[in-house]
Amino acid sequence: MESCLFCRIIGGEDPAVWVEREEHAVAFAPLPESALAPGHTLVVPVAHSADLLSAEPASLAAATSLVQRVGRAMKGGLGATGVVLLQASGADAGQSVPHLHFHVVPCWPDDATTHWPSPPSAHRVDGDPHAVLAEMFE
């Protein structure tokens, strides 16, 4: 898609600081001003899909496999003691680029940041939300 920033990066039209390029998924540095930690990396499937919910299973598998390898590289190469994986699907979730992507963020013991969403959502659902979800699989 010509208008998609990540498709342009994958196609070589926009610059990127590459971490890894594979046939079905790529990893590159975010813009410096949006980096959450040294080594913060974006992992993106090559095939365009707007978000997690519309991705083809093969693209999702390729991306998550690369996410795992990037996380291992952060522990081995950067000495990270943990890794946070962030993914937002949809504008209301905070997704800013409409191409499925994962933020892989290394963490260390001296990090003072909270990586879990806070405060929790104030939205309420009628009934037991997990029962509603389970019904979707029947």
Side-chain angles (χ1 to χ4, degrees):
M1 296 189 73
E2 284 183 25
S3 63
C4 174
L5 172 62
F6 291 164
C7 287
R8 289 194 317 266
I9 290 171
I10 292 165
E13 300 165 43
D14 283 9
V17 176
W18 295 102
V19 172
E20 176 67 310
R21 289 193 246 191
E22 298 178 352
E23 184 178 359
H24 299 289
V26 297
F28 54 88
L31 293 173
E33 61 271 12
S34 64
L36 299 175
H40 173 178
T41 300
L42 298 174
V43 174
V44 181
V46 170
H48 181 85
S49 59
D51 57 28
L52 178 70
L53 306 178
S54 62
E56 292 293 326
S59 290
L60 187 57
T64 56
S65 178
L66 183 52
V67 161
Q68 183 182 50
R69 291 192 310 283
V70 167
R72 287 177 177 157
M74 289 172 170
K75 287 186 92 171
L78 302 176
T81 54
V83 176
V84 171
L85 179 62
L86 303 169
Q87 197 289 314
S89 286
D92 290 336
Q95 183 179 8
S96 60
V97 178
H99 186 126
L100 173 63
H101 60 284
F102 298 89
H103 294 259
V104 188
V105 184
C107 301
W108 296 269
D110 59 348
D111 285 338
T113 8
T114 302
H115 298 287
W116 202 256
S118 182
S121 174
H123 186 79
R124 298 294 172 246
V125 174
D126 292 335
D128 179 353
H130 295 99
V132 172
L133 291 174
E135 287 176 16
M136 297 300 296
F137 289 90
E138 292 177 357

